[in-house]
Amino acid sequence: MAKKMRAVQVPHPKGSFEIVEREIPEPQAGWVRIKIQACGICHSDSLVKDGTWPGIQYPRVPGHEVIGLIDAVGPRVEGWTAGQRVGVGWHGGHCGHCDPCRRGDFFACQVALLTTGISFDGGYAEYMIAPDKALALVPEDLSSVDSAPLMCAGVTTFNALRNSGARPGDVVAVLGIGGLGHLGVQFAAKMGFKTVAIARGKDKEPLAKKLGAIRYIDSQEKNPAAELNKLGGAKVIIATVTSADAMTAVLGGLAANGVFIVIGAAGPISVDPILLISGRRSMKGWYSGTSIDSQDTLKFSALVGVQSMNEIFPLEKATEAYERMMSGKARFRVILSMES
Ligand SMILES: [Zn+2]
Ligand SMILES: [Zn+2]
């Protein structure tokens, strides 16, 4: 008789989570099986829960901040062996031969773009299978729970910052101190940027400073754009909030040639074209990254001591854990631990 595992699935769009027994899956060619130790809960898991991502086949197990041990290796997998501790993030795979893939833009693959927990079952389970292209090696000195949120929230902020064009000493502002922002402030500070944190209210100031911000701007009390301009303007602003108005309010704080990078999903953002034209400023979005970007994020975090603040729940409390994340009250990431 095949061995069973527990998994938490969404039975249909807008359905409640169900904890079910399933057969432990066997990895096909090019895939490995992972015995999961921890999986972060991300706001994007609501795309599966609510059915707002097109083409999802249900039931589906969400979760794209997965850490665990390789437990079985399918045929034609090279470079990975049983026992290695690995992470799986949002980017689950790509074809490798379409035009965007040939240009190295794997995130834009037009043929076989796979997303973990969306195109195939993710990490709200005791086991999962994943393509070898999706694997990141986890450094020994990071715990599995600490590594999990780095697979999405971490790589998104780390990768946006390291590709932002900002140089050590430049003013870099992080808008929002939440799941993404509290990591963004740490990464920016550790990369040597003059890091400014912007959030609503006075209460987040001590935390922002502790995470490495040299300045904190309370956007309820002060005009954040004017405050940034007093520092000479920001070379880069990373917007992690989900409010378009909050984004619009800081745009005027961009220095000449400054870049506004959107990583928080908000409604349509309004921007004054003269601001962009006159200072050659720009706005762009940033996609999290591929498996090697996640691996770099983990390595950098271990090297400099970047750590996510986490609330930990056992797998069977997935509903409670998800609601905690959706409430916006978690400090700051919510993690399912399969070992608790
Ligand atoms: Zn995510
Ligand atoms: Zn492709």
Side-chain angles (χ1 to χ4, degrees):
M1 221 175 73
K3 278 174 77 182
K4 302 273 178 158
M5 66 167 190
R6 291 180 307 154
V8 174
Q9 66 183 25
V10 180
H12 51 81
K14 298 189 173 39
S16 300
F17 288 119
E18 306 174 331
I19 186 151
V20 291
E21 270 213 333
R22 286 189 180 191
E23 275 183 20
I24 296 177
E26 289 299 325
Q28 62 266 43
W31 290 51
V32 304
R33 184 171 67 211
I34 298 164
K35 184 174 193 306
I36 300 168
Q37 296 172 320
C39 181
I41 295 187
C42 178
H43 195 273
S44 305
D45 296 343
S46 64
L47 300 168
V48 182
K49 184 80 164 55
D50 299 340
T52 42
W53 188 271
I56 298 182
Q57 288 177 11
Y58 291 86
R60 180 59 77 220
V61 177
H64 58 269
E65 290 189 342
V66 192
I67 304 289
L69 297 175
I70 297 180
D71 162 78
V73 177
R76 296 200 293 281
V77 170
E78 279 178 40
W80 299 99
T81 53
Q84 283 178 309
R85 193 161 56 120
V86 293
V88 184
W90 175 264
H91 186 92
H94 50 271
C95 77
H97 52 74
C98 71
D99 284 358
C101 281
R102 289 169 64 203
R103 293 190 177 98
D105 292 332
F106 302 124
F107 67 91
C109 176
Q110 293 169 337
V111 175
L113 187 65
L114 294 179
T115 307
T116 308
I118 286 186
S119 328
F120 58 94
D121 285 333
Y124 290 24
E126 290 174 321
Y127 292 86
M128 71 177 283
I129 51 170
D132 58 358
K133 285 192 182 86
L135 304 177
L137 194 64
V138 180
E140 265 178 29
D141 38 359
L142 276 186
S143 80
S144 295
V145 161
D146 283 339
S147 303
L150 299 174
M151 295 305 299
C152 181
V155 63
T156 301
T157 47
F158 173 78
N159 215 21
L161 282 164
R162 73 169 174 171
N163 288 293
S164 68
R167 298 162 73 183
D170 283 348
V171 173
V172 169
V174 178
L175 174 62
I177 310 276
L180 288 167
H182 90 291
L183 288 166
V185 169
Q186 293 179 66
F187 283 128
K190 294 290 188 186
M191 287 177 189
F193 304 137
K194 194 168 176 182
T195 305
V196 180
I198 306 169
R200 288 155 56 92
K202 274 192 174 50
D203 54 314
K204 282 187 174 162
E205 177 161 6
L207 174 67
K209 295 268 175 78
K210 203 179 119 206
L211 297 173
I214 54 112
R215 271 290 311 277
Y216 176 78
I217 300 170
D218 171 1
S219 60
Q220 281 176 320
E221 190 196 32
K222 292 201 162 133
N223 176 333
E227 293 301 306
L228 286 176
N229 285 323
K230 285 183 197 164
L231 300 169
K235 267 284 151 61
V236 169
I237 299 174
I238 301 267
T240 72
V241 292
T242 51
S243 153
D245 290 343
M247 293 192 192
T248 301
V250 297
L251 269 167
L254 273 181
N257 295 311
V259 187
F260 189 90
I261 304 179
V262 181
I263 57 174
I269 305 160
S270 119
V271 53
D272 177 1
I274 300 300
L275 181 83
L276 299 182
I277 296 164
S278 62
R280 224 163 53 183
R281 298 173 181 90
S282 56
M283 292 179 81
K284 67 190 286 188
W286 191 268
Y287 161 84
S288 61
T290 56
S291 59
I292 194 66
D293 297 311
S294 303
Q295 188 167 315
D296 290 347
T297 306
L298 294 168
K299 263 164 58 180
F300 184 81
S301 302
L303 181 72
V304 301
V306 168
Q307 229 183 348
S308 169
M309 293 166 68
N310 304 320
E311 295 184 8
I312 299 162
F313 291 76
L315 180 64
E316 57 272 20
K317 294 244 168 84
T319 300
E320 205 178 303
Y322 176 83
E323 281 165 5
R324 179 76 181 152
M325 180 279 300
M326 289 302 282
S327 75
K329 289 182 186 140
R331 291 288 171 267
F332 281 99
R333 299 298 284 187
V334 177
I335 317 289
L336 295 174
S337 168
M338 297 13 164
E339 298 181 313
S340 60

